[in-house]
Coordinates of all heavy atoms in Angstrom, one line a residue:
D126 N -12.3 1.6 -10.3 CA -13.1 0.4 -10.0 C -12.3 -0.8 -9.5 O -12.8 -1.9 -9.4 CB -14.0 0.0 -11.3 CG -13.2 -0.3 -12.4 OD1 -11.9 -0.1 -12.5 OD2 -13.8 -0.8 -13.5
D127 N -11.0 -0.6 -9.3 CA -10.1 -1.6 -8.8 C -10.5 -1.9 -7.3 O -10.9 -1.1 -6.7 CB -8.6 -1.1 -8.8 CG -7.7 -2.1 -8.5 OD1 -7.1 -2.9 -9.3 OD2 -7.2 -2.2 -7.3
E128 N -10.2 -3.1 -7.0 CA -10.5 -3.6 -5.7 C -9.9 -2.8 -4.6 O -10.7 -2.6 -3.5 CB -10.0 -5.1 -5.4 CG -10.2 -5.7 -4.2 CD -11.8 -6.0 -3.9 OE1 -12.4 -6.2 -4.9 OE2 -12.1 -6.0 -2.8
L129 N -8.9 -2.2 -4.8 CA -8.2 -1.4 -3.7 C -9.2 -0.2 -3.2 O -9.2 0.1 -2.2 CB -6.9 -0.7 -4.3 CG -6.2 0.2 -3.3 CD1 -5.6 -0.5 -2.1 CD2 -5.2 1.2 -4.1
W130 N -9.9 0.5 -4.2 CA -10.8 1.5 -3.8 C -12.0 1.1 -3.3 O -12.8 2.0 -2.7 CB -11.0 2.3 -5.2 CG -9.7 2.8 -5.8 CD1 -9.2 2.5 -6.9 CD2 -9.0 3.9 -5.3 NE1 -8.0 3.2 -7.2 CE2 -7.8 3.9 -6.1 CE3 -8.8 4.7 -4.1 CZ2 -6.7 4.9 -5.9 CZ3 -7.8 5.5 -3.9 CH2 -6.8 5.6 -4.7
R131 N -12.4 -0.2 -3.3 CA -13.8 -0.5 -2.7 C -13.7 -0.4 -1.2 O -12.8 -0.9 -0.6 CB -14.1 -1.9 -3.1 CG -14.3 -2.1 -4.6 CD -15.1 -3.3 -4.9 NE -15.3 -3.3 -6.4 CZ -14.6 -4.1 -7.3 NH1 -13.8 -5.0 -6.7 NH2 -14.7 -4.1 -8.5
G132 N -14.8 0.2 -0.7 CA -14.9 0.3 0.8 C -14.4 1.5 1.4 O -14.5 1.8 2.6
W133 N -13.7 2.4 0.6 CA -13.1 3.6 1.1 C -14.2 4.8 0.9 O -14.9 4.7 0.0 CB -11.8 3.9 0.5 CG -10.7 3.0 0.7 CD1 -10.4 2.0 -0.1 CD2 -9.8 2.8 1.9 NE1 -9.3 1.3 0.4 CE2 -8.9 1.8 1.8 CE3 -9.9 3.6 3.0 CZ2 -8.1 1.4 2.7 CZ3 -9.0 3.0 4.0 CH2 -8.1 2.1 3.8
A134 N -14.0 5.8 1.8 CA -14.9 6.8 1.6 C -14.6 7.8 0.5 O -15.4 8.5 0.0 CB -15.0 7.6 3.0
N135 N -13.4 7.7 0.0 CA -12.9 8.7 -1.1 C -12.0 7.9 -2.0 O -11.5 6.8 -1.6 CB -12.4 9.9 -0.5 CG -11.1 9.8 0.3 OD1 -10.1 9.0 -0.2 ND2 -11.1 10.3 1.4
D136 N -11.6 8.5 -3.0 CA -10.7 7.9 -4.0 C -9.4 8.5 -4.1 O -8.8 8.7 -5.2 CB -11.3 7.6 -5.4 CG -11.7 9.0 -6.0 OD1 -11.5 10.1 -5.4 OD2 -12.0 8.9 -7.1
R137 N -8.9 9.0 -2.9 CA -7.6 9.6 -2.8 C -6.7 8.8 -2.0 O -7.1 8.1 -1.1 CB -7.8 11.0 -2.1 CG -8.5 12.0 -3.0 CD -8.6 13.5 -2.3 NE -9.1 13.4 -1.0 CZ -10.4 13.5 -0.7 NH1 -11.3 13.7 -1.7 NH2 -10.7 13.6 0.6
A138 N -5.4 9.0 -2.4 CA -4.4 8.1 -1.7 C -4.0 8.8 -0.4 O -3.3 9.7 -0.3 CB -3.1 7.8 -2.6
T139 N -4.4 8.1 0.6 CA -4.0 8.5 2.0 C -3.0 7.5 2.5 O -2.7 6.5 1.7 CB -5.2 8.4 3.0 OG1 -5.8 7.0 3.0 CG2 -6.3 9.4 2.5
T140 N -2.4 7.6 3.6 CA -1.4 6.7 4.0 C -2.0 5.3 4.2 O -1.2 4.3 4.1 CB -0.7 7.1 5.3 OG1 -1.6 7.2 6.4 CG2 0.0 8.3 5.1
L141 N -3.3 5.1 4.5 CA -3.9 3.7 4.7 C -4.0 3.0 3.3 O -3.8 1.7 3.3 CB -5.3 3.8 5.3 CG -5.2 4.4 6.7 CD1 -6.7 4.5 7.3 CD2 -4.4 3.5 7.7
K142 N -4.3 3.6 2.2 CA -4.5 2.9 0.9 C -3.0 2.4 0.4 O -3.0 1.3 0.0 CB -5.1 3.8 0.0 CG -6.5 4.1 0.3 CD -7.3 5.1 -0.6 CE -8.6 5.4 0.0 NZ -8.7 6.8 0.2
P143 N -2.1 3.3 0.4 CA -0.7 2.7 0.0 C -0.3 1.5 1.0 O 0.3 0.6 0.5 CB 0.2 3.9 0.1 CG -0.7 5.1 -0.2 CD -2.0 4.7 0.6
D144 N -0.6 1.6 2.2 CA -0.2 0.6 3.1 C -0.9 -0.7 2.8 O -0.2 -1.8 2.6 CB -0.6 0.9 4.5 CG 0.0 0.0 5.6 OD1 0.9 -0.7 5.2 OD2 -0.5 0.1 6.7
A145 N -2.1 -0.8 2.4 CA -2.8 -1.9 1.9 C -2.4 -2.4 0.5 O -2.0 -3.5 0.4 CB -4.5 -1.6 1.8
F146 N -2.2 -1.4 -0.3 CA -1.6 -1.7 -1.7 C -0.2 -2.4 -1.6 O 0.0 -3.4 -2.3 CB -1.5 -0.4 -2.5 CG -1.0 -0.6 -3.8 CD1 -1.7 -1.0 -4.9 CD2 0.3 0.1 -4.2 CE1 -1.1 -1.1 -6.1 CE2 0.8 0.0 -5.4 CZ 0.1 -0.6 -6.3
T147 N 0.6 -1.9 -0.8 CA 2.1 -2.4 -0.8 C 2.1 -3.7 0.1 O 2.8 -4.6 -0.4 CB 2.9 -1.3 -0.2 OG1 2.8 -0.1 -0.8 CG2 4.3 -1.7 -0.2
T148 N 1.3 -3.9 1.1 CA 1.2 -5.0 1.9 C 0.8 -6.2 0.9 O 1.3 -7.3 1.1 CB 0.4 -4.9 3.0 OG1 0.8 -3.9 3.9 CG2 0.3 -6.2 3.8
E149 N -0.1 -5.9 0.1 CA -0.6 -7.0 -0.9 C 0.5 -7.3 -1.9 O 0.7 -8.4 -2.4 CB -1.9 -6.6 -1.5 CG -3.1 -6.6 -0.5 CD -4.4 -6.2 -1.2 OE1 -4.5 -5.9 -2.4 OE2 -5.3 -5.9 -0.4
R150 N 1.2 -6.2 -2.4 CA 2.1 -6.4 -3.5 C 3.6 -7.1 -3.1 O 4.0 -7.9 -3.8 CB 2.4 -4.9 -4.0 CG 3.1 -5.1 -5.3 CD 3.3 -3.7 -6.0 NE 4.5 -3.3 -5.4 CZ 4.7 -2.0 -5.1 NH1 3.8 -1.1 -5.2 NH2 5.9 -1.6 -4.8
L151 N 3.9 -6.8 -1.8 CA 5.2 -7.3 -1.5 C 5.4 -8.8 -1.4 O 6.2 -9.4 -1.9 CB 5.6 -6.9 0.0 CG 7.0 -7.1 0.4 CD1 8.1 -6.6 -0.6 CD2 7.3 -6.6 1.8
P152 N 4.3 -9.7 -1.0 CA 4.4 -11.0 -1.2 C 4.5 -11.5 -2.6 O 5.1 -12.6 -2.8 CB 3.2 -11.6 -0.5 CG 2.7 -10.5 0.4 CD 3.2 -9.3 -0.3
L153 N 4.0 -10.9 -3.5 CA 4.0 -11.2 -4.9 C 5.4 -11.1 -5.6 O 5.8 -11.8 -6.5 CB 3.1 -10.3 -5.8 CG 1.5 -10.5 -5.3 CD1 0.7 -9.5 -6.2 CD2 1.1 -11.9 -5.5
D154 N 6.2 -10.0 -4.9 CA 7.7 -9.8 -5.3 C 8.4 -9.6 -4.0 O 8.6 -8.3 -3.7 CB 7.7 -8.8 -6.3 CG 9.2 -8.5 -6.8 OD1 10.0 -9.4 -6.4 OD2 9.4 -7.6 -7.6
P155 N 8.9 -10.5 -3.4 CA 9.6 -10.2 -2.2 C 10.9 -9.3 -2.4 O 11.5 -8.9 -1.4 CB 10.0 -11.6 -1.5 CG 9.0 -12.4 -2.2 CD 8.7 -11.9 -3.5
T156 N 11.4 -9.3 -3.6 CA 12.6 -8.5 -3.8 C 12.2 -6.9 -4.1 O 13.2 -6.3 -4.4 CB 13.3 -9.1 -5.1 OG1 12.5 -8.9 -6.3 CG2 13.7 -10.6 -4.9
D157 N 11.1 -6.7 -4.1 CA 10.6 -5.3 -4.3 C 11.1 -4.4 -3.3 O 10.4 -4.2 -2.1 CB 9.2 -5.1 -4.4 CG 8.7 -3.9 -4.9 OD1 9.3 -2.9 -4.7 OD2 7.6 -3.7 -5.5
R158 N 12.3 -3.8 -3.4 CA 12.9 -3.0 -2.3 C 12.2 -1.7 -2.0 O 12.0 -1.4 -0.9 CB 14.4 -2.6 -2.8 CG 15.2 -2.0 -1.8 CD 16.6 -2.0 -2.3 NE 17.5 -1.6 -1.2 CZ 17.9 -0.4 -1.0 NH1 17.7 0.6 -1.8 NH2 18.8 -0.2 0.0
A159 N 11.6 -1.0 -3.1 CA 10.8 0.2 -2.7 C 9.6 -0.2 -2.0 O 9.3 0.6 -1.0 CB 10.4 0.6 -4.2
A160 N 8.9 -1.2 -2.2 CA 7.7 -1.7 -1.4 C 8.1 -1.9 0.1 O 7.4 -1.5 0.9 CB 7.1 -2.9 -1.9
R161 N 9.3 -2.6 0.2 CA 9.7 -2.9 1.5 C 10.0 -1.5 2.4 O 9.6 -1.5 3.5 CB 11.0 -3.8 1.5 CG 11.5 -4.3 2.8 CD 12.5 -5.3 2.6 NE 12.1 -6.5 1.6 CZ 11.4 -7.5 2.1 NH1 10.9 -7.5 3.2 NH2 11.0 -8.4 1.2
W162 N 10.7 -0.7 1.8 CA 11.2 0.6 2.3 C 9.9 1.4 2.7 O 9.8 2.1 3.7 CB 12.2 1.3 1.6 CG 13.5 0.8 2.0 CD1 14.2 -0.1 1.2 CD2 14.3 1.1 3.1 NE1 15.5 -0.3 1.8 CE2 15.6 0.4 3.0 CE3 14.1 1.9 4.2 CZ2 16.6 0.4 3.9 CZ3 15.2 2.0 5.2 CH2 16.4 1.3 5.0
A163 N 8.9 1.4 1.8 CA 7.7 2.1 2.0 C 7.0 1.6 3.2 O 6.4 2.4 3.9 CB 6.9 2.1 0.7
L164 N 6.9 0.3 3.4 CA 6.2 -0.3 4.6 C 7.0 0.1 5.7 O 6.3 0.3 6.8 CB 6.1 -1.8 4.3 CG 5.0 -2.2 3.3 CD1 5.1 -3.7 3.1 CD2 3.7 -1.7 3.7
V165 N 8.3 0.2 5.7 CA 9.0 0.6 6.9 C 8.6 2.1 7.2 O 8.4 2.3 8.4 CB 10.6 0.4 6.6 CG1 11.4 1.2 7.7 CG2 11.0 -1.0 6.6
A166 N 8.7 2.9 6.2 CA 8.2 4.3 6.5 C 6.9 4.4 7.0 O 6.6 5.2 7.9 CB 8.3 5.1 5.1
L167 N 5.9 3.7 6.6 CA 4.5 3.7 7.0 C 4.4 3.1 8.4 O 3.7 3.6 9.3 CB 3.6 2.9 6.0 CG 3.4 3.6 4.7 CD1 2.7 2.5 3.8 CD2 2.4 4.7 4.9
A168 N 5.3 2.1 8.8 CA 5.3 1.5 10.0 C 5.8 2.7 11.0 O 5.2 2.8 12.2 CB 6.1 0.2 10.2
L169 N 6.8 3.3 10.6 CA 7.4 4.4 11.5 C 6.3 5.5 11.7 O 6.1 6.1 12.8 CB 8.7 5.0 10.9 CG 9.9 4.2 11.0 CD1 11.0 4.7 10.2 CD2 10.3 4.0 12.5
A170 N 5.6 5.9 10.6 CA 4.7 7.0 10.7 C 3.4 6.6 11.5 O 2.9 7.3 12.2 CB 4.2 7.3 9.3
H171 N 3.1 5.2 11.5 CA 2.0 4.7 12.3 C 2.3 4.3 13.6 O 1.5 3.9 14.4 CB 1.2 3.7 11.7 CG 0.7 4.1 10.2 ND1 0.5 3.2 9.2 CD2 0.2 5.2 9.9 CE1 -0.1 3.9 8.3 NE2 -0.3 5.1 8.7

């Protein structure tokens, strides 16, 4: 019932959901190295 899942057709983590999740999380903690690298990986994949 978390906001992240609203509006999606399913409740499985596809590459679009972590992209949204991480994009929202990184500004809250700009030092989050894992989030930053995950977004780089997603950018490359997309």
Side-chain angles (χ1 to χ4, degrees):
D126 61 351
D127 187 88
E128 180 68 30
L129 176 74
W130 299 111
R131 292 197 184 108
W133 295 102
N135 62 52
D136 62 355
R137 291 185 303 271
T139 61
T140 59
L141 296 176
K142 291 174 190 122
D144 193 11
F146 176 73
T147 307
T148 299
E149 290 176 10
R150 199 177 83 219
L151 189 59
L153 299 175
D154 181 4
T156 65
D157 188 337
R158 191 168 190 262
R161 189 171 303 285
W162 277 98
L164 287 173
V165 170
L167 288 165
L169 287 169
H171 294 152

